[in-house]
Amino acid sequence: KGYYSTMSAGITEPTKALDFLTTASKTAKSAHIEQEQVVKALTAVMFGYGGEIKSAAEASDLLFAIDKQGKTSVAELVPVIGDVASAAHQAGLSADEMGSAIAALSQTAGSTSQAATQFNAIVLGLIKPQEKMIDLLKSTGYNSGKAMIEHLGFAGALKRVNEEATKMNIPLGKFFRSSEAIIGLGPMIGDSFKAIGDNLDAMKNKTGSSEKAFQDWLKTGEAASEIFKNTMLKVLKMAGDELLPN
């Protein structure tokens, strides 16, 4: 079933599919979720950031890094990460910037799904700006929100927008259509976007996060029970094969 899900997700080269499936299986066990859900989440991140995230291990590392830095879990990230990655990539955010922002938002949003909603609303306000935001962007010398993000980084762009709004003596809320964007931006502005910067440093050192989570899982009673069960099934199969007539 897992192999079929992997092939259906577009990972068709046998060796790559096996590597992908191995990572998906480890991630599912570490995060206590269904493997099929993990397959969808990992492929969504990989396809969203095809040039940046080249393997399932890198995608899984990102999820576990967000888990560690934020008030969330891989299980909670899995259902929303596809939409978040799509919006972030369209806006010119790196995968690490996306991860750092979601981790920061999850600290105050109340839930991971709410953090994702806030993130998408902020991004949409920048890449599909209303008239006031268009004027603000022009006043800073950028012809689009994406251009500003690509030049200053996500946190830098938000900081610049906030500074310009203050200079214009116009409440930041006037520049975003969605109240969710303003709710998400509030705590970020409150700490001068420090949380995003701190999280970004952690994202850049995310390599191995997934494997560490799996090794931690191997030390649990759940893992011991599953390994014992699988070992017994193999023994019984071998015994059955020995009893079969030649």
Side-chain angles (χ1 to χ4, degrees):
K1 183 178 178 181
Y3 192 76
Y4 175 77
S5 298
T6 300
M7 298 291 280
S8 298
I11 315 293
T12 55
E13 200 278 314
T15 302
K16 288 183 179 179
L18 185 58
D19 288 343
F20 182 97
L21 185 58
T22 299
T23 298
S25 176
K26 288 182 175 182
T27 302
K29 291 181 188 303
S30 304
H32 311 287
I33 49 178
E34 291 296 321
Q35 184 172 289
E36 191 172 354
Q37 292 177 283
V38 174
V39 168
K40 291 178 181 177
L42 296 183
T43 51
V45 174
M46 288 172 66
F47 291 155
Y49 282 97
E52 185 179 347
I53 294 182
K54 301 180 178 64
S55 69
E58 290 178 14
S60 185
D61 282 343
L62 179 65
L63 292 178
F64 279 104
I66 299 171
D67 176 327
K68 182 178 179 181
Q69 294 301 118
K71 193 176 180 181
T72 182
S73 68
V74 172
E76 293 172 323
L77 288 165
V78 161
V80 302
I81 199 64
D83 289 341
V84 167
S86 176
H89 188 58
Q90 286 181 52
L93 279 77
S94 69
D96 287 344
E97 286 182 307
M98 172 194 74
S100 65
I102 287 294
L105 287 165
S106 71
Q107 292 284 358
T108 57
S111 71
T112 303
S113 62
Q114 193 64 33
T117 299
Q118 292 174 1
F119 175 82
N120 289 337
I122 293 168
V123 167
L124 189 64
L126 290 171
I127 64 173
K128 293 187 177 179
Q130 58 175 312
E131 190 174 339
K132 277 189 172 61
M133 180 64 84
I134 292 173
D135 292 339
L136 183 150
L137 291 169
K138 286 180 179 177
S139 72
T140 59
Y142 295 96
N143 58 17
S144 70
K146 182 176 181 180
M148 179 183 272
I149 291 169
E150 289 178 336
H151 184 233
L152 301 177
F154 188 53
L158 294 177
K159 189 173 182 179
R160 184 67 182 275
V161 166
N162 183 53
E163 289 171 349
E164 196 65 21
T166 301
K167 191 184 299 181
M168 296 166 73
N169 200 29
I170 299 175
L172 191 60
K174 298 292 185 181
F175 297 93
F176 290 87
R177 290 188 180 90
S178 171
S179 61
E180 292 292 347
I182 304 305
I183 294 170
L185 282 168
M188 290 186 182
I189 293 169
D191 80 342
S192 301
F193 304 98
K194 183 178 183 298
I196 293 184
D198 291 345
N199 291 341
L200 188 56
D201 290 339
M203 294 300 143
K204 290 176 179 177
N205 294 303
K206 65 184 177 296
T207 302
S209 298
S210 177
E211 183 61 27
K212 182 181 183 306
F214 182 67
Q215 292 302 320
D216 289 343
W217 177 80
L218 286 175
K219 299 172 186 175
T220 66
E222 178 188 0
S225 176
E226 184 168 327
I227 292 169
F228 176 76
K229 177 183 174 183
N230 290 338
T231 301
M232 289 305 297
L233 287 173
K234 288 179 182 178
V235 169
L236 290 172
K237 184 180 183 303
M238 289 172 61
D241 291 343
E242 287 293 326
L243 293 173
L244 288 174
N246 294 326

